[in-house]
Every structure is written in structure tokens, then in C-alpha cells.
Amino acid sequence: MAELNALSPSRANDFLQCPLKFRFRTVDRLPEPPSAAAFKGTLVHAVLEHLYDLPAPERTLDAARGLIVPRFDDLARDKEDVAELFPDEVARDRLFDESAQLLRSYFALELPDRLEPAEREKFVSVTLDNGLKLRGFIDRIDVAPGGQIRLVDYKTGKQPKPQYSREAEFQMRFYALLRYRTDGVLVHTLQLMYLGSRSIKAMRPVLADVERTEHQILGLWEDISRSAETGVWRTRTSPLCGWCHFKPLCPAWGNEAPAAPEITALAGR
């Protein structure tokens, strides 16, 4: 049995990408194999979070590199599959080298000794009028002397071409909505930092963007609710299917999906 009463940017993007993928992840909660690329992203995020614990003059590239192994050890204690992902010294050294390169890219984009983030890895949650909970983690929140707010998200991959940037931009507008719904403040800037390509995508939302995003989310939730009530979770094929762990369970590829768990609670119903 399962409850559906909350939505994050990643799960919303799952449904937009493929409703059945959303079902497998959010309703069935099927296990997925660990990902070395995802872990590398987690490691780099952890280093950048803890870098700002240091006094400003000490926030150097060497200091950031020095945080890689301690943060790896911390994550390895909490994640049982790390030994499977990085079984030997060669694999770990490759991870550390690639992480160091991404940190070098970060320092090419920003000077952390001149920044004092207001918050890091901030969990934000709001409940809409229909009972749907929106939630997410914001990598960094900056507040300028004049009070303008900037939401920053680190991406360890390369900046996608414009036609493939929808998911990341939706994620940032989702965060802007969370912030607006929390305290009524419209953020000044939404900033995506692509360390893999040493590039920045900045957006300046207006109130109409936030309202449109809420309308989009409510429409999306109606589609999710309809799928949950009818038991019909459509498939949507794309080039991304080649990387989907659930392909062996997907009817679009000639396979049979398991029966969905019963949904005992559904926000807005």
C-alpha cells in the first residue's frame, strides 16, 4: 500500500518524462542499482556545502580538495553500496580525481572567499490548498545586502542544449514557488551552475512565472491523481529509455509491469 500526498521537483520530472517510471519510483518504490555518477554528484555537493564552514580566507581550491576524502568517508559510513561502487583504490582514486576537477571548475566560476551564503542544503516544504505537499532541498541560498535572494543549484554535468534544459529550469522555478509560498518573497535570481562545462544559467523570475509554475504543478497532480485512480500509468519512450533501470518491466519494450500497490491516500481526493 502507498500514499501519494507529496511532490518534489525530481519526482515531478519523472512523471513528465514517463508516468510509469514515476509509478515504479514513487508508488512501487522499486529498488534501483547504485550509480557512481550520482554518488560523485553527492560527494561534490557535500564538499561545497562544508567548504563554507571554513573562514572566508581559507576557502581555497586546495582546502576544497582536502575535504574530498573526509566527506567520502562520511558518506561511505551512511551508504552501504559505496564499497560496491568503488571496490578498490584505483576506483576511489578515479573518483577523487574527477571530483577535484569539478571543484576546479567551481572555483573558475565563483570566488567562495567573497560569499557568505545565508543557508545551505536547505529543506523547504509547503502545503498547497488541495493538501498536496511540495518539498525540496535547495543547494544554496544567497541574500544580497539589498535583500535580493538568489537560489543556487550545483550540477556536476554539462549544461544541456536549450531543448533539453526543461527539467533543470522547472526544478528552479519549483524552488522559487516554494520560497514564495513560504514567506511571500519573490526570489531575484535562479542560478544553475554546470561544473561539467564551467557555465552558469541564470534566470530572473517574475510573479507570473511563479503563478504559472503552481498552475503547472496542479495540472500535473491532476494527471498523477487520474493515473492513481484508474491504475493506468502510461509509458513514454525517449532516448533516455536506454539508461532506465526499469526497462525490463516496461510494456513499451515488450515486457510486463508488476501489479501496482494499492494507494490508500491521495492528496486532493
Side-chain angles (χ1 to χ4, degrees):
M1 291 186 286
E3 294 185 3
L4 279 179
N5 58 12
L7 199 63
S8 67
S10 56
R11 296 292 78 84
N13 275 319
D14 280 346
F15 190 87
L16 290 169
Q17 187 184 113
C18 176
L20 186 60
K21 179 180 181 179
F22 172 91
R23 194 207 101 180
F24 285 153
R25 277 185 167 165
T26 307
V27 181
D28 300 59
R29 297 187 180 182
L30 298 180
E32 297 181 67
S35 164
F39 181 85
K40 180 170 63 179
T42 300
L43 176 59
V44 171
H45 275 72
V47 169
L48 292 175
E49 178 188 2
H50 287 275
L51 177 66
Y52 284 96
D53 289 333
L54 299 175
E58 298 178 21
R59 297 174 197 155
T60 64
L61 177 56
D62 285 342
R65 287 170 171 163
L67 291 171
I68 292 175
V69 173
R71 296 285 75 78
F72 173 86
D73 291 341
D74 288 345
L75 292 170
R77 280 193 290 270
D78 296 333
K79 295 180 179 291
E80 297 178 356
D81 50 24
V82 172
E84 176 185 344
L85 289 172
F86 310 101
D88 53 38
E89 187 174 348
V90 172
R92 290 191 291 274
D93 285 346
R94 185 183 305 113
L95 168 69
F96 298 157
D97 289 343
E98 292 175 355
S99 299
Q101 288 302 314
L102 291 170
L103 292 171
R104 178 184 291 275
S105 295
Y106 171 72
F107 275 79
L109 296 172
E110 281 193 322
L111 298 174
D113 60 331
R114 300 183 183 180
L115 292 170
E116 289 298 339
E119 296 179 278
R120 290 164 279 153
E121 291 298 320
K122 174 68 174 179
F123 176 72
V124 183
S125 175
V126 299
T127 301
L128 300 183
D129 296 340
N130 67 349
L132 173 64
K133 297 177 183 177
L134 304 182
R135 60 194 182 196
F137 281 92
I138 301 173
D139 288 346
R140 201 180 81 210
I141 300 174
D142 299 333
V143 180
Q148 299 95 333
I149 296 173
R150 177 173 64 182
L151 307 184
V152 179
D153 192 78
Y154 307 120
K155 300 294 186 186
T156 50
K158 295 181 179 180
Q159 183 173 353
K161 295 179 179 179
Q163 62 266 36
Y164 301 117
S165 63
R166 176 192 57 78
E167 290 189 7
E169 292 177 7
F170 172 76
Q171 173 192 8
M172 297 308 289
R173 288 189 285 106
F174 193 109
Y175 291 153
L177 171 61
L178 283 176
R179 185 70 194 223
Y180 184 75
R181 277 286 197 153
T182 299
D183 54 19
V185 174
L186 180 65
V187 301
H188 181 269
T189 305
L190 302 171
Q191 181 169 293
L192 288 155
M193 302 189 71
Y194 291 96
L195 306 185
S197 54
R198 294 193 180 188
S199 57
I200 292 176
K201 168 71 174 181
M203 298 168 283
R204 292 191 175 178
V206 297
L207 183 57
D209 295 323
V210 173
E211 293 173 341
R212 184 169 59 251
T213 299
E214 181 168 354
H215 181 74
Q216 181 182 2
I217 290 170
L218 291 173
L220 178 65
W221 190 251
E222 282 296 317
D223 292 340
I224 292 172
S225 299
R226 192 174 302 111
S227 293
E229 291 168 343
T230 62
V232 178
W233 301 87
R234 294 178 296 105
T235 59
R236 185 173 294 131
T237 58
S238 76
L240 295 173
C241 292
W243 286 271
C244 182
H245 171 67
F246 303 118
K247 191 174 179 180
L249 303 175
C250 182
W253 298 94
N255 302 304
E256 184 176 352
E262 178 186 355
I263 296 175
T264 58
L266 184 64
R269 292 294 193 270

